[in-house]
Amino acid sequence: MHAMEQGSVQEHGRSRKLSKIWVINEHVRVGLAETLSTYVMMVFGLGSVAQVVTGRGAFGEYLSVNLGFGLGVAMGVHIGGRVSGAHMNAAVSFSMCLFGRLGWRMLPVYILSQLIGSFLAAGTIYSLYYDAIYHYCGGNLTVSGPKATAGIFATYPATYLSLHAGFLDQVIGTAMLLLCLMALSDQRNQPAPSGGEPIAVGLLVLLIGVSLGSNSGYAINPSRDLGPRIFTAIAGWGPEVFRAGNGWWWVPVLAPMVGGVTGASIYKVFVELHHPSPCEHRREIVDEAEEASPLDMQKNLSPEVCV
């Protein structure tokens, strides 16, 4: 921790210094921001699921869950975007490391913070909806069946979905996420407007939910799934949370990692690698200006030269 005297206030005729205290260690600052942004995103997301399930459809439906997670992501980006980047997703963090946008030494900080945030969010929603959950299931905490409640916290596959089809489902969903995130952050293409990044990312998650979510709940995020799953194993659902769906638990952990790298690679190969260099871009502008109005172009040319 570090403290600095900054500013002053008048109190009974005397000047009193105000202290501003903050954390200066990068790992701690990033970890705190990433934990909080993930926590907020997951509270809204899991809360929307709990409300739909325990309310038996009276307080929302599938679209409510998509809106809850989408808007929750937007709020999470507002909270940690300028500090940690608000990845809130281990697949995003891993892909950013692989493409050189984040140092590998920071990856454990991000993943641990995300897991802590999602675990705490699961605990919060469990406490908030404790009575509703027990009223809904009669005190029998099950993973599958007509009164299953484990799905409030972690994702499980539809009964018709095989493991390999579910793996592909998660790869494609996460690939679309990272492909679009790369586009939204590409300053040499058509990025999200400054200040509009949170709502753009939130709308992206909403879009994935309404189009690619029915097979297995579109986890597309190892941190979102594993933290709450561990919580449910401890809170009363037991080891069945890891056995259900033919041992489904590892799919939303591994497949999003593969999908994230795949989606980011596709954007890079198809779009980003083909951006003209700054000099080439300037020459294109000059050529267009020459064709349009040679005299005006000569007046407005900058003295900077590309060689």
Side-chain angles (χ1 to χ4, degrees):
M1 302 291 284
H2 182 71
M4 175 180 177
E5 297 294 333
Q6 185 177 35
S8 63
V9 294
Q10 295 294 324
E11 185 179 33
H12 303 298
R14 295 177 299 173
S15 178
R16 180 170 62 86
K17 294 287 185 181
L18 291 177
S19 294
K20 183 178 180 181
I21 303 176
W22 71 96
V23 175
I24 60 173
N25 184 281
E26 180 188 9
H27 289 72
V28 177
R29 285 191 299 108
V30 167
L32 289 172
E34 192 69 10
T35 298
L36 185 59
S37 58
T38 306
Y39 173 82
V40 169
M41 180 264 288
M42 290 296 292
V43 164
F44 286 128
L46 297 181
S48 66
V49 182
Q51 186 165 283
V52 169
V53 171
T54 60
R56 297 177 172 85
F59 304 115
E61 51 192 20
Y62 181 67
L63 181 59
S64 303
V65 176
N66 297 322
L67 288 169
F69 271 106
L71 294 174
V73 166
M75 292 303 103
V77 175
H78 271 297
I79 288 168
R82 291 295 181 92
V83 182
S84 67
H87 296 176
M88 301 177 285
N89 186 333
V92 173
S93 301
F94 178 73
S95 298
M96 294 303 101
C97 288
L98 198 63
F99 287 96
R101 300 188 180 189
L102 179 70
W104 286 103
R105 65 185 177 84
M106 296 298 293
L107 184 60
V109 176
Y110 275 83
I111 293 179
L112 180 60
S113 300
Q114 293 157 6
L115 288 173
I116 292 173
S118 61
F119 183 92
L120 293 176
T124 299
I125 294 304
Y126 178 75
S127 300
L128 183 62
Y129 283 93
Y130 179 87
D131 290 339
I133 291 172
Y134 272 79
H135 178 264
Y136 172 77
C137 68
N140 185 24
L141 301 178
T142 58
V143 178
S144 59
K147 295 290 186 179
T149 48
I152 292 174
F153 302 95
T155 64
Y156 295 88
T159 54
Y160 58 80
L161 196 69
S162 64
L163 275 181
H164 67 270
F167 192 94
L168 180 62
D169 172 81
Q170 288 298 293
V171 168
I172 292 176
T174 316
M176 296 303 292
L177 173 68
L178 264 294
L179 191 159
C180 294
L181 285 178
M182 294 284 282
L184 289 172
S185 62
D186 188 352
Q187 296 303 312
R188 299 180 65 191
N189 193 358
Q190 191 68 42
S194 179
E197 298 90 348
I199 194 64
V201 177
L203 287 173
L204 170 59
V205 172
L206 172 62
L207 178 60
I208 293 172
V210 299
S211 60
L212 304 173
S214 63
N215 278 335
S216 60
Y218 75 108
I220 60 172
N221 182 347
S223 309
R224 171 261 178 275
D225 201 79
L226 186 58
R229 193 180 299 274
I230 293 172
F231 175 83
T232 53
I234 297 171
W237 283 264
E240 183 61 22
V241 299
F242 293 101
R243 292 195 294 255
N246 294 318
W248 168 260
W249 73 270
W250 63 270
V251 175
V253 173
L254 180 59
M257 295 295 199
V258 176
V261 173
T262 301
S265 299
I266 289 172
Y267 182 80
K268 203 166 186 69
V269 170
F270 277 75
V271 179
E272 191 175 297
L273 289 177
H274 308 295
H275 288 328
S277 68
C279 288
E280 290 172 340
H281 182 60
R282 173 171 169 73
R283 289 191 187 103
E284 288 178 0
I285 295 175
V286 170
D287 290 342
E288 291 174 0
E290 284 178 335
E291 293 175 2
S293 179
L295 291 177
D296 289 340
M297 180 275 297
Q298 290 295 336
K299 293 176 183 178
N300 297 322
L301 272 180
S302 166
E304 296 178 3
V305 178
C306 289
V307 294

